[in-house]
Every structure is written in structure tokens, then in C-alpha cells.
Amino acid sequence: VQLVESGGGLVQPGGSLRLSCAASGFTFSNYDMRWYRQGPGKERELVASITSAGGSTNYANSVKGRFTISRDNAKNTLYLQMNSLKPEDTAVYYCSVRRVPYTYWGQGTQVTVSS
């Protein structure tokens, strides 16, 4: 299993970024996927999740209405569209898949929201 995130960077408050996670080594379309983040000095937290076919999504209250999780099963890619970014969104963002009994993580992509 390999998960490779990209798309992070430095953005001003109110700006937007789209993160991508390229997946390989497993049948992507069979698995629910998740985005997590870990801010400086904070524990890793679940940001958003999406079911295998993309029919159902869930969000942390802190990002609801601003972030959108999506997936393209033909491209084996997971996305996170982040709008109206705030300084408190600054974190390393990780995509994740649970294939029992293991949970797999990417290396993460840094998102910094600052003026």
C-alpha cells in the first residue's frame, strides 16, 4: 500500500488549496478513505471521510462547510478541497486507509495558513 499526498503549501487566510492523495497497492475503489491532520503541538485529528463509492461523506465540525472530500476511483486518487482557510487549519495533512488489521498513512503534506 502506498499513499502519496501533494498540494500543500503556504496560503493566506481566506485562501484555498486542493490536496491530492495518490493511492496504489490496493483496490482503491473498495475502501473508505480519510483525511487527517496534525497541527503543531496537537494530536492527529480526523478531518473528513468518504465511503468507497463516494456516496457518503463526513466532516469534523471545525471544517464543515469549508472543506470538501472527494475521490476519483478511475484515477485512484483522493482529494480535499479546502476553502476559506484559517490560521488554525495549519497542519500536516495525511490521507489514510484502513485495511484490517492495519491502518496505512501517507507521508503527509504541510499546509500553512498565514499572512
Side-chain angles (χ1 to χ4, degrees):
V1 172
Q2 188 172 19
L3 301 169
V4 180
E5 301 94 337
S6 61
L10 174 63
V11 63
Q12 292 187 343
S16 298
L17 283 174
R18 188 175 83 152
L19 306 183
S20 299
C21 171
S24 61
F26 65 105
T27 306
F28 180 73
S29 59
N30 286 355
Y31 291 89
D32 298 352
M33 297 293 297
R34 294 171 178 82
W35 284 102
Y36 286 79
R37 68 184 180 186
Q38 187 166 16
K42 297 181 181 179
E43 294 188 354
R44 192 171 295 190
E45 63 172 343
L46 177 64
V47 174
S49 62
I50 187 167
T51 52
S52 56
S56 180
T57 57
N58 282 287
Y59 299 91
N61 286 335
S62 58
V63 307
K64 204 171 290 184
R66 299 188 297 121
F67 290 12
T68 302
I69 188 172
S70 63
R71 64 192 297 162
D72 186 335
N73 285 345
K75 295 183 178 179
N76 290 348
T77 303
L78 178 71
Y79 302 101
L80 186 67
Q81 178 67 44
M82 305 186 296
N83 298 329
S84 303
L85 282 161
K86 304 175 181 180
E88 51 264 44
D89 295 318
T90 294
V92 179
Y93 285 73
Y94 301 89
C95 63
S96 176
V97 62
R98 178 146 177 86
R99 297 182 70 218
V100 176
Y102 302 110
T103 297
Y104 296 88
W105 303 88
Q107 84 288 349
T109 186
Q110 175 71 48
V111 172
T112 302
V113 184
S114 175
S115 55

